[in-house]
Amino acid sequence: MTGYILALDQGTTSSRAIIFDQEARIISQGQYEIKQSFPRPGWVEHDPEQIWETQLAAARDAIDRSAILPAQISAIGITNQRETAVVWDKFTGKPIYPAIVWQDRRTAGICEELKLKGLEEEIASKTGLVIDAYFSATKIAWILDHVEGARERAAKGELLAGTIDSWLIWKLTGGEVHATDVTNASRTMLFNLHFRAWDDSMLNALNIPRSILPEIKMSGGQFGIAKEHWFGASIPINSVLGDQQAALFGHTCLEAGSAKNTYGTGCFILMNTGTEAVVSRHGLLTTVAWGIGDEMYYALEGSVFVAGAAIQWLQEGLGLIQEPASSEDKAREVEDSEGVVVVPAFTGLGAPYWDMYSRGAIFGLTRGTTAAHLVRATLESLAFQSRDVIGAMEKDAGMPLTELRVDGGAVRNDLLMQFQADILGSNVTRTDYSETTALGAALLAGLTSGIWTKEQLLTFNKSERVFTPLMESEERERRYFAWQDAVSRTMGWEKH
């Protein structure tokens, strides 16, 4: 029997591979950690060769453990950390510099220069992004500027550049294919959303030759054939998606108005806006959700900087809990937070506020405040921050949230999920799969391969539990107003 899908999930801390069967069930997997390097404050790097070697090893492990033949795998789907950039020699395949990771801030100066040139509005309208070191274009420019001879070699056509998906595709196909998909391209600050192509004025602004960049393809389509010697069979690569878009697809948020929230160290929230690229006026990013056939689907995206990291702070910084999982039991020791509000702006505020000078604060303390109140208020901060982003999405898109589907470590906390539903006034659906990102890459590869129809996709990743709002609307708005008031008091704090 054929119809198995191999999903390659290349993340910030590990390379994973999962094989799914015809019912989209996991049958085997492999995983290897990858090393992060911090050569200077604010710099974060990966070894591209280690990324490739660990991803290859993880895939081989998954195949070995699956009890199926490599020839039974119909397709490969790739999902990856999105904004990490690699530049390599076109002929030897050797990287000319370590991969600069999405978290890296070294190109802040380049971003300031772009702002001084007055390019903010043009970049926002063309790419849907804000000027920030987060995105990969300035990382590529930095490598070309700082590696001796790189500019000259790039001009001669001797170098290639891309995000992690492009690096993996190039390696898998034996250097035959240099390609990326529309979701990863949309995170570079070089991709024109309206023309679906690299933008000449953006390339000129950063002096990046078009010739070193990958061909842009739709997310669902053939990206080449993985060579037989890697896995024991030639396998087509039939989907590529950035990790957050893959999670949106894995949650089967295929209709406009559907959204997902991944609760990790931060929160990553995406709302499907359909075939319209909605330009945000409320501090969000416009991004490509995926491209299938001739149709491109778009999403609004907002990131919360501190989510799970706030729960880690309760454990490691304050010693109020023994482990993150015990936060729910601790919070249940009290009926509610009794007016305590925690704003975990440890590194400033992300969407929709974008205040780098905001700092964390606790409000509403009384003599009766206990550790349980602080824990409960910290959990509630994750839900409040998520409502901030989703509220901005609803305003930008002009459509209400139909359902929030959730994944990530914190979603096992029933108290948090119930409060999230309460403070949103919308259903929150926790799904069966914890591996939603890999599932998304697999589902799109299967759809492209003809294994599943779009209607069949909706039968996968069913809800494990739906949390419905129980809080009265008056109480909901009173609590949210108190949150917004607290946030406003933290803004600009670092300037004092």
PDB file of all heavy atoms in Angstrom, residues 430-448:
ATOM      1  N   ARG A 430      -9.486  22.706  21.241  1.00  0.00           N
ATOM      2  CA  ARG A 430      -8.226  21.989  21.401  1.00  0.00           C
ATOM      3  C   ARG A 430      -8.333  20.709  20.589  1.00  0.00           C
ATOM      4  O   ARG A 430      -9.277  19.941  20.749  1.00  0.00           O
ATOM      5  CB  ARG A 430      -7.980  21.685  22.882  1.00  0.00           C
ATOM      6  CG  ARG A 430      -6.639  21.014  23.164  1.00  0.00           C
ATOM      7  CD  ARG A 430      -6.359  20.997  24.656  1.00  0.00           C
ATOM      8  NE  ARG A 430      -7.302  20.153  25.382  1.00  0.00           N
ATOM      9  CZ  ARG A 430      -7.527  20.236  26.700  1.00  0.00           C
ATOM     10  NH1 ARG A 430      -6.896  21.140  27.422  1.00  0.00           N
ATOM     11  NH2 ARG A 430      -8.384  19.432  27.286  1.00  0.00           N
ATOM     12  N   THR A 431      -7.357  20.491  19.699  1.00  0.00           N
ATOM     13  CA  THR A 431      -7.456  19.384  18.759  1.00  0.00           C
ATOM     14  C   THR A 431      -6.662  18.170  19.230  1.00  0.00           C
ATOM     15  O   THR A 431      -5.910  18.220  20.188  1.00  0.00           O
ATOM     16  CB  THR A 431      -6.969  19.818  17.371  1.00  0.00           C
ATOM     17  OG1 THR A 431      -5.631  20.317  17.486  1.00  0.00           O
ATOM     18  CG2 THR A 431      -7.855  20.920  16.820  1.00  0.00           C
ATOM     19  N   ASP A 432      -6.867  17.064  18.512  1.00  0.00           N
ATOM     20  CA  ASP A 432      -6.219  15.801  18.864  1.00  0.00           C
ATOM     21  C   ASP A 432      -4.707  15.845  18.740  1.00  0.00           C
ATOM     22  O   ASP A 432      -3.987  15.247  19.516  1.00  0.00           O
ATOM     23  CB  ASP A 432      -6.743  14.671  17.958  1.00  0.00           C
ATOM     24  CG  ASP A 432      -8.103  14.155  18.419  1.00  0.00           C
ATOM     25  OD1 ASP A 432      -8.388  14.276  19.617  1.00  0.00           O
ATOM     26  OD2 ASP A 432      -8.856  13.641  17.583  1.00  0.00           O
ATOM     27  N   TYR A 433      -4.229  16.540  17.715  1.00  0.00           N
ATOM     28  CA  TYR A 433      -2.809  16.488  17.382  1.00  0.00           C
ATOM     29  C   TYR A 433      -2.009  17.542  18.133  1.00  0.00           C
ATOM     30  O   TYR A 433      -2.385  18.708  18.170  1.00  0.00           O
ATOM     31  CB  TYR A 433      -2.601  16.722  15.886  1.00  0.00           C
ATOM     32  CG  TYR A 433      -2.773  15.495  15.045  1.00  0.00           C
ATOM     33  CD1 TYR A 433      -4.011  15.181  14.487  1.00  0.00           C
ATOM     34  CD2 TYR A 433      -1.707  14.640  14.790  1.00  0.00           C
ATOM     35  CE1 TYR A 433      -4.165  14.058  13.695  1.00  0.00           C
ATOM     36  CE2 TYR A 433      -1.859  13.506  14.000  1.00  0.00           C
ATOM     37  CZ  TYR A 433      -3.093  13.227  13.459  1.00  0.00           C
ATOM     38  OH  TYR A 433      -3.248  12.117  12.682  1.00  0.00           O
ATOM     39  N   SER A 434      -0.885  17.123  18.678  1.00  0.00           N
ATOM     40  CA  SER A 434       0.069  18.092  19.210  1.00  0.00           C
ATOM     41  C   SER A 434       1.073  18.477  18.116  1.00  0.00           C
ATOM     42  O   SER A 434       1.687  19.530  18.170  1.00  0.00           O
ATOM     43  CB  SER A 434       0.809  17.516  20.421  1.00  0.00           C
ATOM     44  OG  SER A 434       1.470  16.312  20.077  1.00  0.00           O
ATOM     45  N   GLU A 435       1.240  17.611  17.099  1.00  0.00           N
ATOM     46  CA  GLU A 435       2.204  17.860  16.016  1.00  0.00           C
ATOM     47  C   GLU A 435       1.505  18.535  14.834  1.00  0.00           C
ATOM     48  O   GLU A 435       1.507  18.051  13.705  1.00  0.00           O
ATOM     49  CB  GLU A 435       2.854  16.537  15.577  1.00  0.00           C
ATOM     50  CG  GLU A 435       3.446  15.721  16.699  1.00  0.00           C
ATOM     51  CD  GLU A 435       4.503  16.487  17.484  1.00  0.00           C
ATOM     52  OE1 GLU A 435       5.070  17.446  16.945  1.00  0.00           O
ATOM     53  OE2 GLU A 435       4.744  16.125  18.641  1.00  0.00           O
ATOM     54  N   THR A 436       0.922  19.695  15.101  1.00  0.00           N
ATOM     55  CA  THR A 436       0.097  20.341  14.088  1.00  0.00           C
ATOM     56  C   THR A 436       0.917  20.881  12.924  1.00  0.00           C
ATOM     57  O   THR A 436       0.458  20.893  11.781  1.00  0.00           O
ATOM     58  CB  THR A 436      -0.718  21.488  14.724  1.00  0.00           C
ATOM     59  OG1 THR A 436      -1.267  21.031  15.949  1.00  0.00           O
ATOM     60  CG2 THR A 436      -1.839  21.932  13.821  1.00  0.00           C
ATOM     61  N   THR A 437       2.137  21.337  13.205  1.00  0.00           N
ATOM     62  CA  THR A 437       2.969  21.912  12.147  1.00  0.00           C
ATOM     63  C   THR A 437       3.334  20.847  11.121  1.00  0.00           C
ATOM     64  O   THR A 437       3.154  21.043   9.910  1.00  0.00           O
ATOM     65  CB  THR A 437       4.243  22.530  12.758  1.00  0.00           C
ATOM     66  OG1 THR A 437       3.854  23.508  13.730  1.00  0.00           O
ATOM     67  CG2 THR A 437       5.087  23.200  11.704  1.00  0.00           C
ATOM     68  N   ALA A 438       3.850  19.711  11.578  1.00  0.00           N
ATOM     69  CA  ALA A 438       4.184  18.620  10.660  1.00  0.00           C
ATOM     70  C   ALA A 438       2.939  18.104   9.951  1.00  0.00           C
ATOM     71  O   ALA A 438       2.979  17.775   8.755  1.00  0.00           O
ATOM     72  CB  ALA A 438       4.862  17.485  11.425  1.00  0.00           C
ATOM     73  N   LEU A 439       1.826  18.043  10.679  1.00  0.00           N
ATOM     74  CA  LEU A 439       0.575  17.584  10.065  1.00  0.00           C
ATOM     75  C   LEU A 439       0.175  18.477   8.905  1.00  0.00           C
ATOM     76  O   LEU A 439      -0.256  17.997   7.852  1.00  0.00           O
ATOM     77  CB  LEU A 439      -0.544  17.545  11.113  1.00  0.00           C
ATOM     78  CG  LEU A 439      -1.932  17.174  10.591  1.00  0.00           C
ATOM     79  CD1 LEU A 439      -1.953  15.737  10.066  1.00  0.00           C
ATOM     80  CD2 LEU A 439      -2.994  17.359  11.677  1.00  0.00           C
ATOM     81  N   GLY A 440       0.327  19.800   9.073  1.00  0.00           N
ATOM     82  CA  GLY A 440      -0.030  20.732   8.000  1.00  0.00           C
ATOM     83  C   GLY A 440       0.764  20.489   6.738  1.00  0.00           C
ATOM     84  O   GLY A 440       0.213  20.477   5.630  1.00  0.00           O
ATOM     85  N   ALA A 441       2.086  20.284   6.898  1.00  0.00           N
ATOM     86  CA  ALA A 441       2.927  19.995   5.729  1.00  0.00           C
ATOM     87  C   ALA A 441       2.495  18.689   5.069  1.00  0.00           C
ATOM     88  O   ALA A 441       2.457  18.581   3.838  1.00  0.00           O
ATOM     89  CB  ALA A 441       4.392  19.929   6.150  1.00  0.00           C
ATOM     90  N   ALA A 442       2.154  17.691   5.893  1.00  0.00           N
ATOM     91  CA  ALA A 442       1.723  16.391   5.359  1.00  0.00           C
ATOM     92  C   ALA A 442       0.383  16.505   4.641  1.00  0.00           C
ATOM     93  O   ALA A 442       0.198  15.937   3.545  1.00  0.00           O
ATOM     94  CB  ALA A 442       1.631  15.372   6.494  1.00  0.00           C
ATOM     95  N   LEU A 443      -0.579  17.210   5.240  1.00  0.00           N
ATOM     96  CA  LEU A 443      -1.897  17.331   4.617  1.00  0.00           C
ATOM     97  C   LEU A 443      -1.815  18.010   3.256  1.00  0.00           C
ATOM     98  O   LEU A 443      -2.483  17.599   2.296  1.00  0.00           O
ATOM     99  CB  LEU A 443      -2.851  18.102   5.535  1.00  0.00           C
ATOM    100  CG  LEU A 443      -3.269  17.418   6.839  1.00  0.00           C
ATOM    101  CD1 LEU A 443      -4.281  18.280   7.592  1.00  0.00           C
ATOM    102  CD2 LEU A 443      -3.844  16.029   6.586  1.00  0.00           C
ATOM    103  N   LEU A 444      -0.995  19.067   3.157  1.00  0.00           N
ATOM    104  CA  LEU A 444      -0.881  19.759   1.880  1.00  0.00           C
ATOM    105  C   LEU A 444      -0.170  18.893   0.846  1.00  0.00           C
ATOM    106  O   LEU A 444      -0.557  18.861  -0.324  1.00  0.00           O
ATOM    107  CB  LEU A 444      -0.160  21.098   2.051  1.00  0.00           C
ATOM    108  CG  LEU A 444      -0.065  21.958   0.786  1.00  0.00           C
ATOM    109  CD1 LEU A 444      -1.434  22.178   0.145  1.00  0.00           C
ATOM    110  CD2 LEU A 444       0.602  23.295   1.096  1.00  0.00           C
ATOM    111  N   ALA A 445       0.847  18.146   1.279  1.00  0.00           N
ATOM    112  CA  ALA A 445       1.528  17.227   0.360  1.00  0.00           C
ATOM    113  C   ALA A 445       0.563  16.146  -0.130  1.00  0.00           C
ATOM    114  O   ALA A 445       0.565  15.775  -1.318  1.00  0.00           O
ATOM    115  CB  ALA A 445       2.740  16.595   1.037  1.00  0.00           C
ATOM    116  N   GLY A 446      -0.278  15.645   0.777  1.00  0.00           N
ATOM    117  CA  GLY A 446      -1.265  14.626   0.402  1.00  0.00           C
ATOM    118  C   GLY A 446      -2.327  15.171  -0.514  1.00  0.00           C
ATOM    119  O   GLY A 446      -2.772  14.484  -1.457  1.00  0.00           O
ATOM    120  N   LEU A 447      -2.746  16.409  -0.268  1.00  0.00           N
ATOM    121  CA  LEU A 447      -3.735  17.051  -1.140  1.00  0.00           C
ATOM    122  C   LEU A 447      -3.152  17.234  -2.538  1.00  0.00           C
ATOM    123  O   LEU A 447      -3.805  16.930  -3.548  1.00  0.00           O
ATOM    124  CB  LEU A 447      -4.133  18.410  -0.553  1.00  0.00           C
ATOM    125  CG  LEU A 447      -5.172  19.222  -1.318  1.00  0.00           C
ATOM    126  CD1 LEU A 447      -6.538  18.547  -1.279  1.00  0.00           C
ATOM    127  CD2 LEU A 447      -5.270  20.637  -0.746  1.00  0.00           C
ATOM    128  N   THR A 448      -1.918  17.708  -2.603  1.00  0.00           N
ATOM    129  CA  THR A 448      -1.248  17.925  -3.889  1.00  0.00           C
ATOM    130  C   THR A 448      -1.050  16.612  -4.637  1.00  0.00           C
ATOM    131  O   THR A 448      -1.144  16.558  -5.873  1.00  0.00           O
ATOM    132  CB  THR A 448       0.120  18.594  -3.654  1.00  0.00           C
ATOM    133  OG1 THR A 448      -0.070  19.821  -2.931  1.00  0.00           O
ATOM    134  CG2 THR A 448       0.826  18.900  -4.963  1.00  0.00           C
TER     135      THR A 448
END
